[in-house]
Amino acid sequence: MMRILYCIMIEDCAEEGKEVDELMNIFSSFISDKISDFQTGIYYQNPSYLECSYRAGCLLD
């Protein structure tokens, strides 16, 4: 499931031809740590919420 979340975010956020760069940006951002922390429940959030939070640079309320 985690792989699917990252795939969705990369598809939605990356410019064409810049997928690897976006992958590196996502993995080095705060959202990757949040997704990987299964005790927070962020992992189970809607992928759209995760994408919007990533773009905003923080978890949205």
Side-chain angles (χ1 to χ4, degrees):
M1 178 72 173
M2 188 180 303
R3 183 171 35 171
I4 293 170
L5 291 174
Y6 285 110
C7 288
I8 291 169
M9 289 180 64
I10 292 164
E11 281 184 6
D12 291 346
C13 296
E15 296 177 27
E16 189 165 334
K18 301 282 186 177
E19 292 85 358
V20 173
D21 293 335
E22 194 63 43
L23 170 70
M24 297 304 293
N25 290 337
I26 291 170
F27 277 137
S28 63
S29 77
F30 80 98
I31 200 74
S32 182
D33 292 336
K34 298 294 184 184
I35 290 171
S36 297
D37 183 358
F38 297 108
Q39 293 185 21
T40 65
I42 297 300
Y43 172 81
Y44 300 104
Q45 294 293 325
N46 184 308
S48 296
Y49 168 77
L50 296 173
E51 178 188 338
C52 291
S53 292
Y54 166 70
R55 289 180 186 261
C58 62
L59 292 177
L60 302 174
D61 291 330

